[in-house]
Amino acid sequence: MSECAWVKVEVMDGIRTIRLDRPEKKNALTADMYDAIAKGLREANLDDATRVTVLLGVPGAFSAGNDIGDFVNMAQSGALGEPIIAFLDTLAECGKPLIAGVDGLAIGVGTTLLLHCDYVVASDRSVFKTPFTDLALVPEAASTLLAPRIMGHARAFELLCMGEAFDAAAMEKAGVVNKVTSAEALEQTALQAAEKIASKPVGAMKLSRDLMRQSHVADVKARIREEADCFAKQLKSSEAMAAFASFLNRK
């Protein structure tokens, strides 16, 4: 079990489930939560009993993005934050197949982390949005590299730069989501995909996935740092300070 009360980790029949469980805050991510998720993913890499990892949220909220308090601390520190960078590196280095089951809100990193997943199931009430530029910031998680590759430039620009909201059907059409289900069927559908992956020959699955991913891991990690540098510079800008002031006044 994870050391963070808001992140639950279980392993059963070759499937490692990492569940974000902070419903009162719609799974807004704290530094401790980033650490716990990263720990769960690193342990999956080292655990022969884990064949596939599934990321889940709570009904109505996969993740609302960064916790407001931590977000303000980032603004004051002028950096993206080491727990987030470590988490993003772990995503890039994920050595086992990774599935996400998304129900409801997927905001900011709740959307960009999906670009690192091998298979994504979303409920038909899910909403995907990355409001980075509204806060005078830039995207993260190597999304500026991965989203255009997966979605094409035009849709990626709409998502990352314009901050437009996408529904599950639009994300399926864009290639980010594999399957859209009802909210009631979401977790069962995600776990069925995990069971299918876990049943495959382990060596063949690893080799096949590695052949698909290894050529761009270095590029992904380099882009994570490039985005983080730009993020840090923007945090210190006058337009970001104004955007944060407006954001906090609304809160």
Side-chain angles (χ1 to χ4, degrees):
M1 192 66 74
S2 169
E3 295 174 359
C4 177
W6 294 322
V7 177
K8 305 293 196 307
V9 181
E10 296 180 353
V11 183
M12 184 178 296
D13 298 329
I15 301 170
R16 178 177 295 255
T17 302
I18 301 177
R19 183 185 297 276
L20 310 182
D21 190 22
R22 196 189 182 197
E24 70 281 4
K25 294 294 185 180
K26 301 186 187 301
N27 281 341
L29 296 172
T30 65
D32 286 344
M33 291 174 75
Y34 278 115
D35 284 340
I37 301 166
K39 180 183 176 184
L41 293 173
R42 287 194 298 269
E43 289 176 346
N45 288 343
L46 300 172
D47 179 21
D48 291 340
T50 298
R51 295 191 171 196
V52 57
T53 299
V54 182
L55 297 174
L56 297 171
V58 295
F62 180 64
S63 176
N66 283 310
D67 178 82
I68 293 174
D70 281 12
F71 206 43
V72 171
N73 289 336
M74 277 194 289
Q76 293 173 340
S77 69
L80 185 56
E82 279 308 309
I84 298 179
I85 296 295
F87 163 73
L88 297 178
D89 278 346
T90 304
L91 269 182
E93 296 165 351
C94 192
K96 304 284 178 77
L98 185 60
I99 292 176
V102 179
D103 179 37
L105 293 178
I107 308 300
V109 70
T111 286
T112 57
L113 74 82
L114 303 176
L115 302 171
H116 296 263
C117 294
D118 300 290
Y119 194 92
V120 178
V121 182
S123 74
D124 52 16
R125 66 179 181 179
S126 295
V127 178
F128 306 81
K129 184 175 174 65
T130 64
F132 300 112
T133 56
D134 293 334
L135 292 168
L137 299 173
V138 299
E140 31 72 313
S143 57
T144 57
L145 177 70
L146 296 174
R149 287 181 178 179
I150 295 168
M151 307 172 69
H153 175 86
R155 287 194 181 100
F157 182 86
E158 189 177 0
L159 177 72
L160 298 177
C161 297
M162 294 177 66
E164 296 292 338
F166 281 58
D167 62 17
M171 287 299 252
E172 183 181 33
K173 185 176 181 180
V176 177
V177 168
N178 294 79
K179 183 170 290 189
V180 178
T181 71
S182 66
E184 294 75 18
L186 173 76
E187 292 198 7
Q188 180 183 3
T189 303
L191 291 172
Q192 284 174 343
E195 289 167 0
K196 182 174 289 189
I197 292 169
S199 72
K200 304 290 185 184
V202 176
M205 176 61 71
K206 176 173 173 50
L207 286 170
S208 299
R209 184 176 182 272
D210 285 351
L211 286 167
M212 294 176 66
R213 290 172 61 92
Q214 282 180 345
S215 63
H216 70 251
V217 169
D219 290 342
V220 168
K221 292 183 70 173
R223 184 60 60 91
I224 286 170
R225 273 153 182 75
E226 187 176 355
E227 289 170 347
D229 288 343
C230 292
F231 196 100
K233 289 176 183 177
Q234 276 300 112
L235 277 173
K236 299 172 184 176
S237 69
S238 58
E239 64 178 6
M241 291 178 186
F244 268 95
S246 176
F247 174 77
L248 291 173
N249 285 335
R250 290 201 304 272
K251 294 295 177 183

PDB file of all heavy atoms in Angstrom, residues 207-235:
ATOM      1  N   LEU A 207       9.213  -6.792 -25.395  1.00  0.00           N
ATOM      2  CA  LEU A 207       9.998  -6.468 -26.583  1.00  0.00           C
ATOM      3  C   LEU A 207       9.204  -5.619 -27.566  1.00  0.00           C
ATOM      4  O   LEU A 207       9.712  -4.645 -28.132  1.00  0.00           O
ATOM      5  CB  LEU A 207      10.484  -7.750 -27.264  1.00  0.00           C
ATOM      6  CG  LEU A 207      11.627  -8.496 -26.562  1.00  0.00           C
ATOM      7  CD1 LEU A 207      11.832  -9.862 -27.205  1.00  0.00           C
ATOM      8  CD2 LEU A 207      12.910  -7.673 -26.621  1.00  0.00           C
ATOM      9  N   SER A 208       7.951  -5.980 -27.777  1.00  0.00           N
ATOM     10  CA  SER A 208       7.110  -5.250 -28.730  1.00  0.00           C
ATOM     11  C   SER A 208       6.902  -3.807 -28.274  1.00  0.00           C
ATOM     12  O   SER A 208       7.023  -2.862 -29.068  1.00  0.00           O
ATOM     13  CB  SER A 208       5.762  -5.955 -28.884  1.00  0.00           C
ATOM     14  OG  SER A 208       5.932  -7.254 -29.383  1.00  0.00           O
ATOM     15  N   ARG A 209       6.605  -3.647 -26.986  1.00  0.00           N
ATOM     16  CA  ARG A 209       6.380  -2.297 -26.455  1.00  0.00           C
ATOM     17  C   ARG A 209       7.662  -1.483 -26.469  1.00  0.00           C
ATOM     18  O   ARG A 209       7.648  -0.290 -26.820  1.00  0.00           O
ATOM     19  CB  ARG A 209       5.819  -2.395 -25.035  1.00  0.00           C
ATOM     20  CG  ARG A 209       5.461  -1.053 -24.404  1.00  0.00           C
ATOM     21  CD  ARG A 209       4.824  -1.282 -23.047  1.00  0.00           C
ATOM     22  NE  ARG A 209       4.427  -0.029 -22.431  1.00  0.00           N
ATOM     23  CZ  ARG A 209       5.217   0.715 -21.659  1.00  0.00           C
ATOM     24  NH1 ARG A 209       6.476   0.314 -21.423  1.00  0.00           N
ATOM     25  NH2 ARG A 209       4.778   1.835 -21.121  1.00  0.00           N
ATOM     26  N   ASP A 210       8.764  -2.108 -26.084  1.00  0.00           N
ATOM     27  CA  ASP A 210      10.048  -1.399 -26.095  1.00  0.00           C
ATOM     28  C   ASP A 210      10.413  -0.918 -27.490  1.00  0.00           C
ATOM     29  O   ASP A 210      10.933   0.197 -27.663  1.00  0.00           O
ATOM     30  CB  ASP A 210      11.163  -2.299 -25.552  1.00  0.00           C
ATOM     31  CG  ASP A 210      11.108  -2.468 -24.035  1.00  0.00           C
ATOM     32  OD1 ASP A 210      10.325  -1.755 -23.385  1.00  0.00           O
ATOM     33  OD2 ASP A 210      11.854  -3.320 -23.523  1.00  0.00           O
ATOM     34  N   LEU A 211      10.156  -1.740 -28.493  1.00  0.00           N
ATOM     35  CA  LEU A 211      10.452  -1.347 -29.870  1.00  0.00           C
ATOM     36  C   LEU A 211       9.639  -0.125 -30.278  1.00  0.00           C
ATOM     37  O   LEU A 211      10.104   0.718 -31.060  1.00  0.00           O
ATOM     38  CB  LEU A 211      10.179  -2.511 -30.830  1.00  0.00           C
ATOM     39  CG  LEU A 211      11.199  -3.650 -30.790  1.00  0.00           C
ATOM     40  CD1 LEU A 211      10.656  -4.876 -31.525  1.00  0.00           C
ATOM     41  CD2 LEU A 211      12.520  -3.203 -31.411  1.00  0.00           C
ATOM     42  N   MET A 212       8.435  -0.004 -29.730  1.00  0.00           N
ATOM     43  CA  MET A 212       7.582   1.141 -30.045  1.00  0.00           C
ATOM     44  C   MET A 212       8.020   2.405 -29.309  1.00  0.00           C
ATOM     45  O   MET A 212       7.847   3.515 -29.815  1.00  0.00           O
ATOM     46  CB  MET A 212       6.122   0.835 -29.679  1.00  0.00           C
ATOM     47  CG  MET A 212       5.489  -0.264 -30.503  1.00  0.00           C
ATOM     48  SD  MET A 212       3.811  -0.659 -29.931  1.00  0.00           S
ATOM     49  CE  MET A 212       2.953   0.867 -30.316  1.00  0.00           C
ATOM     50  N   ARG A 213       8.621   2.251 -28.111  1.00  0.00           N
ATOM     51  CA  ARG A 213       8.861   3.394 -27.239  1.00  0.00           C
ATOM     52  C   ARG A 213      10.312   3.842 -27.125  1.00  0.00           C
ATOM     53  O   ARG A 213      10.587   5.033 -26.950  1.00  0.00           O
ATOM     54  CB  ARG A 213       8.367   3.066 -25.819  1.00  0.00           C
ATOM     55  CG  ARG A 213       6.875   2.986 -25.680  1.00  0.00           C
ATOM     56  CD  ARG A 213       6.510   2.466 -24.296  1.00  0.00           C
ATOM     57  NE  ARG A 213       7.003   3.343 -23.232  1.00  0.00           N
ATOM     58  CZ  ARG A 213       6.300   4.334 -22.685  1.00  0.00           C
ATOM     59  NH1 ARG A 213       5.083   4.575 -23.111  1.00  0.00           N
ATOM     60  NH2 ARG A 213       6.802   5.068 -21.719  1.00  0.00           N
ATOM     61  N   GLN A 214      11.254   2.907 -27.193  1.00  0.00           N
ATOM     62  CA  GLN A 214      12.635   3.220 -26.829  1.00  0.00           C
ATOM     63  C   GLN A 214      13.254   4.333 -27.656  1.00  0.00           C
ATOM     64  O   GLN A 214      14.058   5.123 -27.154  1.00  0.00           O
ATOM     65  CB  GLN A 214      13.501   1.960 -26.927  1.00  0.00           C
ATOM     66  CG  GLN A 214      13.343   1.024 -25.746  1.00  0.00           C
ATOM     67  CD  GLN A 214      14.198  -0.221 -25.863  1.00  0.00           C
ATOM     68  OE1 GLN A 214      14.717  -0.545 -26.936  1.00  0.00           O
ATOM     69  NE2 GLN A 214      14.346  -0.938 -24.767  1.00  0.00           N
ATOM     70  N   SER A 215      12.868   4.429 -28.917  1.00  0.00           N
ATOM     71  CA  SER A 215      13.496   5.412 -29.796  1.00  0.00           C
ATOM     72  C   SER A 215      13.163   6.847 -29.402  1.00  0.00           C
ATOM     73  O   SER A 215      13.889   7.777 -29.778  1.00  0.00           O
ATOM     74  CB  SER A 215      13.077   5.170 -31.252  1.00  0.00           C
ATOM     75  OG  SER A 215      11.679   5.341 -31.399  1.00  0.00           O
ATOM     76  N   HIS A 216      12.070   7.058 -28.639  1.00  0.00           N
ATOM     77  CA  HIS A 216      11.721   8.442 -28.314  1.00  0.00           C
ATOM     78  C   HIS A 216      11.769   8.780 -26.824  1.00  0.00           C
ATOM     79  O   HIS A 216      11.447   9.900 -26.451  1.00  0.00           O
ATOM     80  CB  HIS A 216      10.346   8.808 -28.893  1.00  0.00           C
ATOM     81  CG  HIS A 216       9.178   8.134 -28.242  1.00  0.00           C
ATOM     82  ND1 HIS A 216       8.451   7.165 -28.871  1.00  0.00           N
ATOM     83  CD2 HIS A 216       8.602   8.280 -27.021  1.00  0.00           C
ATOM     84  CE1 HIS A 216       7.483   6.758 -28.075  1.00  0.00           C
ATOM     85  NE2 HIS A 216       7.549   7.409 -26.948  1.00  0.00           N
ATOM     86  N   VAL A 217      12.196   7.833 -25.963  1.00  0.00           N
ATOM     87  CA  VAL A 217      12.256   8.127 -24.529  1.00  0.00           C
ATOM     88  C   VAL A 217      13.207   9.284 -24.244  1.00  0.00           C
ATOM     89  O   VAL A 217      12.897  10.185 -23.453  1.00  0.00           O
ATOM     90  CB  VAL A 217      12.655   6.871 -23.721  1.00  0.00           C
ATOM     91  CG1 VAL A 217      12.968   7.246 -22.273  1.00  0.00           C
ATOM     92  CG2 VAL A 217      11.536   5.839 -23.758  1.00  0.00           C
ATOM     93  N   ALA A 218      14.380   9.277 -24.865  1.00  0.00           N
ATOM     94  CA  ALA A 218      15.345  10.361 -24.637  1.00  0.00           C
ATOM     95  C   ALA A 218      14.773  11.699 -25.081  1.00  0.00           C
ATOM     96  O   ALA A 218      14.956  12.718 -24.396  1.00  0.00           O
ATOM     97  CB  ALA A 218      16.648  10.072 -25.374  1.00  0.00           C
ATOM     98  N   ASP A 219      14.074  11.710 -26.225  1.00  0.00           N
ATOM     99  CA  ASP A 219      13.449  12.943 -26.701  1.00  0.00           C
ATOM    100  C   ASP A 219      12.384  13.431 -25.722  1.00  0.00           C
ATOM    101  O   ASP A 219      12.253  14.634 -25.470  1.00  0.00           O
ATOM    102  CB  ASP A 219      12.802  12.719 -28.075  1.00  0.00           C
ATOM    103  CG  ASP A 219      13.821  12.515 -29.173  1.00  0.00           C
ATOM    104  OD1 ASP A 219      14.998  12.872 -28.964  1.00  0.00           O
ATOM    105  OD2 ASP A 219      13.437  11.985 -30.234  1.00  0.00           O
ATOM    106  N   VAL A 220      11.606  12.501 -25.179  1.00  0.00           N
ATOM    107  CA  VAL A 220      10.549  12.850 -24.233  1.00  0.00           C
ATOM    108  C   VAL A 220      11.146  13.468 -22.972  1.00  0.00           C
ATOM    109  O   VAL A 220      10.690  14.516 -22.494  1.00  0.00           O
ATOM    110  CB  VAL A 220       9.693  11.610 -23.887  1.00  0.00           C
ATOM    111  CG1 VAL A 220       8.778  11.898 -22.697  1.00  0.00           C
ATOM    112  CG2 VAL A 220       8.862  11.186 -25.094  1.00  0.00           C
ATOM    113  N   LYS A 221      12.193  12.850 -22.426  1.00  0.00           N
ATOM    114  CA  LYS A 221      12.808  13.371 -21.208  1.00  0.00           C
ATOM    115  C   LYS A 221      13.460  14.738 -21.449  1.00  0.00           C
ATOM    116  O   LYS A 221      13.411  15.624 -20.585  1.00  0.00           O
ATOM    117  CB  LYS A 221      13.818  12.366 -20.662  1.00  0.00           C
ATOM    118  CG  LYS A 221      13.178  11.088 -20.146  1.00  0.00           C
ATOM    119  CD  LYS A 221      14.187  10.143 -19.543  1.00  0.00           C
ATOM    120  CE  LYS A 221      14.731  10.668 -18.242  1.00  0.00           C
ATOM    121  NZ  LYS A 221      15.598   9.695 -17.561  1.00  0.00           N
ATOM    122  N   ALA A 222      14.043  14.906 -22.621  1.00  0.00           N
ATOM    123  CA  ALA A 222      14.634  16.206 -22.952  1.00  0.00           C
ATOM    124  C   ALA A 222      13.549  17.278 -23.058  1.00  0.00           C
ATOM    125  O   ALA A 222      13.738  18.408 -22.583  1.00  0.00           O
ATOM    126  CB  ALA A 222      15.412  16.109 -24.267  1.00  0.00           C
ATOM    127  N   ARG A 223      12.409  16.926 -23.645  1.00  0.00           N
ATOM    128  CA  ARG A 223      11.317  17.905 -23.770  1.00  0.00           C
ATOM    129  C   ARG A 223      10.708  18.222 -22.405  1.00  0.00           C
ATOM    130  O   ARG A 223      10.296  19.372 -22.168  1.00  0.00           O
ATOM    131  CB  ARG A 223      10.244  17.390 -24.731  1.00  0.00           C
ATOM    132  CG  ARG A 223       9.109  18.383 -24.993  1.00  0.00           C
ATOM    133  CD  ARG A 223       9.588  19.706 -25.598  1.00  0.00           C
ATOM    134  NE  ARG A 223      10.253  19.524 -26.854  1.00  0.00           N
ATOM    135  CZ  ARG A 223       9.631  19.553 -28.046  1.00  0.00           C
ATOM    136  NH1 ARG A 223       8.324  19.767 -28.109  1.00  0.00           N
ATOM    137  NH2 ARG A 223      10.323  19.379 -29.157  1.00  0.00           N
ATOM    138  N   ILE A 224      10.627  17.237 -21.508  1.00  0.00           N
ATOM    139  CA  ILE A 224      10.139  17.497 -20.155  1.00  0.00           C
ATOM    140  C   ILE A 224      10.955  18.614 -19.507  1.00  0.00           C
ATOM    141  O   ILE A 224      10.405  19.535 -18.897  1.00  0.00           O
ATOM    142  CB  ILE A 224      10.208  16.211 -19.299  1.00  0.00           C
ATOM    143  CG1 ILE A 224       9.094  15.236 -19.723  1.00  0.00           C
ATOM    144  CG2 ILE A 224      10.079  16.536 -17.802  1.00  0.00           C
ATOM    145  CD1 ILE A 224       9.219  13.853 -19.116  1.00  0.00           C
ATOM    146  N   ARG A 225      12.269  18.566 -19.665  1.00  0.00           N
ATOM    147  CA  ARG A 225      13.133  19.580 -19.063  1.00  0.00           C
ATOM    148  C   ARG A 225      13.048  20.921 -19.795  1.00  0.00           C
ATOM    149  O   ARG A 225      13.094  21.981 -19.165  1.00  0.00           O
ATOM    150  CB  ARG A 225      14.577  19.075 -19.020  1.00  0.00           C
ATOM    151  CG  ARG A 225      14.820  18.279 -17.762  1.00  0.00           C
ATOM    152  CD  ARG A 225      15.892  17.237 -17.853  1.00  0.00           C
ATOM    153  NE  ARG A 225      15.966  16.538 -16.566  1.00  0.00           N
ATOM    154  CZ  ARG A 225      15.067  15.638 -16.167  1.00  0.00           C
ATOM    155  NH1 ARG A 225      14.051  15.326 -16.956  1.00  0.00           N
ATOM    156  NH2 ARG A 225      15.158  15.057 -14.984  1.00  0.00           N
ATOM    157  N   GLU A 226      12.927  20.858 -21.091  1.00  0.00           N
ATOM    158  CA  GLU A 226      12.792  22.101 -21.859  1.00  0.00           C
ATOM    159  C   GLU A 226      11.510  22.826 -21.471  1.00  0.00           C
ATOM    160  O   GLU A 226      11.504  24.051 -21.264  1.00  0.00           O
ATOM    161  CB  GLU A 226      12.794  21.773 -23.364  1.00  0.00           C
ATOM    162  CG  GLU A 226      12.817  22.986 -24.253  1.00  0.00           C
ATOM    163  CD  GLU A 226      12.904  22.625 -25.728  1.00  0.00           C
ATOM    164  OE1 GLU A 226      13.034  21.416 -26.051  1.00  0.00           O
ATOM    165  OE2 GLU A 226      12.818  23.537 -26.568  1.00  0.00           O
ATOM    166  N   GLU A 227      10.418  22.065 -21.350  1.00  0.00           N
ATOM    167  CA  GLU A 227       9.146  22.662 -20.922  1.00  0.00           C
ATOM    168  C   GLU A 227       9.255  23.213 -19.504  1.00  0.00           C
ATOM    169  O   GLU A 227       8.732  24.290 -19.206  1.00  0.00           O
ATOM    170  CB  GLU A 227       8.034  21.619 -20.986  1.00  0.00           C
ATOM    171  CG  GLU A 227       7.634  21.227 -22.397  1.00  0.00           C
ATOM    172  CD  GLU A 227       6.705  20.025 -22.416  1.00  0.00           C
ATOM    173  OE1 GLU A 227       6.569  19.344 -21.377  1.00  0.00           O
ATOM    174  OE2 GLU A 227       6.107  19.753 -23.474  1.00  0.00           O
ATOM    175  N   ALA A 228       9.941  22.466 -18.619  1.00  0.00           N
ATOM    176  CA  ALA A 228      10.088  22.909 -17.229  1.00  0.00           C
ATOM    177  C   ALA A 228      10.864  24.221 -17.151  1.00  0.00           C
ATOM    178  O   ALA A 228      10.535  25.101 -16.335  1.00  0.00           O
ATOM    179  CB  ALA A 228      10.775  21.831 -16.401  1.00  0.00           C
ATOM    180  N   ASP A 229      11.879  24.372 -17.980  1.00  0.00           N
ATOM    181  CA  ASP A 229      12.648  25.621 -18.012  1.00  0.00           C
ATOM    182  C   ASP A 229      11.766  26.784 -18.460  1.00  0.00           C
ATOM    183  O   ASP A 229      11.807  27.880 -17.872  1.00  0.00           O
ATOM    184  CB  ASP A 229      13.852  25.485 -18.943  1.00  0.00           C
ATOM    185  CG  ASP A 229      14.945  24.593 -18.370  1.00  0.00           C
ATOM    186  OD1 ASP A 229      14.925  24.336 -17.149  1.00  0.00           O
ATOM    187  OD2 ASP A 229      15.815  24.142 -19.148  1.00  0.00           O
ATOM    188  N   CYS A 230      10.984  26.551 -19.508  1.00  0.00           N
ATOM    189  CA  CYS A 230      10.070  27.589 -19.994  1.00  0.00           C
ATOM    190  C   CYS A 230       9.004  27.907 -18.951  1.00  0.00           C
ATOM    191  O   CYS A 230       8.624  29.070 -18.755  1.00  0.00           O
ATOM    192  CB  CYS A 230       9.414  27.147 -21.296  1.00  0.00           C
ATOM    193  SG  CYS A 230      10.526  27.038 -22.706  1.00  0.00           S
ATOM    194  N   PHE A 231       8.524  26.859 -18.276  1.00  0.00           N
ATOM    195  CA  PHE A 231       7.522  27.014 -17.216  1.00  0.00           C
ATOM    196  C   PHE A 231       8.075  27.927 -16.116  1.00  0.00           C
ATOM    197  O   PHE A 231       7.403  28.857 -15.654  1.00  0.00           O
ATOM    198  CB  PHE A 231       7.174  25.633 -16.654  1.00  0.00           C
ATOM    199  CG  PHE A 231       5.917  25.559 -15.840  1.00  0.00           C
ATOM    200  CD1 PHE A 231       4.729  25.095 -16.379  1.00  0.00           C
ATOM    201  CD2 PHE A 231       5.924  25.931 -14.499  1.00  0.00           C
ATOM    202  CE1 PHE A 231       3.582  25.006 -15.616  1.00  0.00           C
ATOM    203  CE2 PHE A 231       4.775  25.851 -13.725  1.00  0.00           C
ATOM    204  CZ  PHE A 231       3.592  25.390 -14.287  1.00  0.00           C
ATOM    205  N   ALA A 232       9.315  27.641 -15.698  1.00  0.00           N
ATOM    206  CA  ALA A 232       9.939  28.431 -14.634  1.00  0.00           C
ATOM    207  C   ALA A 232      10.099  29.892 -15.053  1.00  0.00           C
ATOM    208  O   ALA A 232       9.856  30.808 -14.249  1.00  0.00           O
ATOM    209  CB  ALA A 232      11.291  27.830 -14.264  1.00  0.00           C
ATOM    210  N   LYS A 233      10.500  30.123 -16.289  1.00  0.00           N
ATOM    211  CA  LYS A 233      10.655  31.498 -16.778  1.00  0.00           C
ATOM    212  C   LYS A 233       9.315  32.222 -16.798  1.00  0.00           C
ATOM    213  O   LYS A 233       9.215  33.387 -16.414  1.00  0.00           O
ATOM    214  CB  LYS A 233      11.275  31.486 -18.172  1.00  0.00           C
ATOM    215  CG  LYS A 233      12.745  31.070 -18.190  1.00  0.00           C
ATOM    216  CD  LYS A 233      13.279  30.987 -19.610  1.00  0.00           C
ATOM    217  CE  LYS A 233      14.720  30.502 -19.631  1.00  0.00           C
ATOM    218  NZ  LYS A 233      15.232  30.338 -21.015  1.00  0.00           N
ATOM    219  N   GLN A 234       8.283  31.514 -17.252  1.00  0.00           N
ATOM    220  CA  GLN A 234       6.960  32.135 -17.309  1.00  0.00           C
ATOM    221  C   GLN A 234       6.407  32.448 -15.930  1.00  0.00           C
ATOM    222  O   GLN A 234       5.710  33.441 -15.741  1.00  0.00           O
ATOM    223  CB  GLN A 234       5.985  31.244 -18.075  1.00  0.00           C
ATOM    224  CG  GLN A 234       6.030  31.412 -19.581  1.00  0.00           C
ATOM    225  CD  GLN A 234       5.711  32.835 -20.002  1.00  0.00           C
ATOM    226  OE1 GLN A 234       6.578  33.556 -20.508  1.00  0.00           O
ATOM    227  NE2 GLN A 234       4.480  33.268 -19.794  1.00  0.00           N
ATOM    228  N   LEU A 235       6.701  31.591 -14.947  1.00  0.00           N
ATOM    229  CA  LEU A 235       6.216  31.836 -13.590  1.00  0.00           C
ATOM    230  C   LEU A 235       6.682  33.186 -13.059  1.00  0.00           C
ATOM    231  O   LEU A 235       6.003  33.804 -12.231  1.00  0.00           O
ATOM    232  CB  LEU A 235       6.699  30.725 -12.648  1.00  0.00           C
ATOM    233  CG  LEU A 235       5.875  29.439 -12.610  1.00  0.00           C
ATOM    234  CD1 LEU A 235       6.574  28.391 -11.761  1.00  0.00           C
ATOM    235  CD2 LEU A 235       4.474  29.700 -12.076  1.00  0.00           C
TER     236      LEU A 235
END
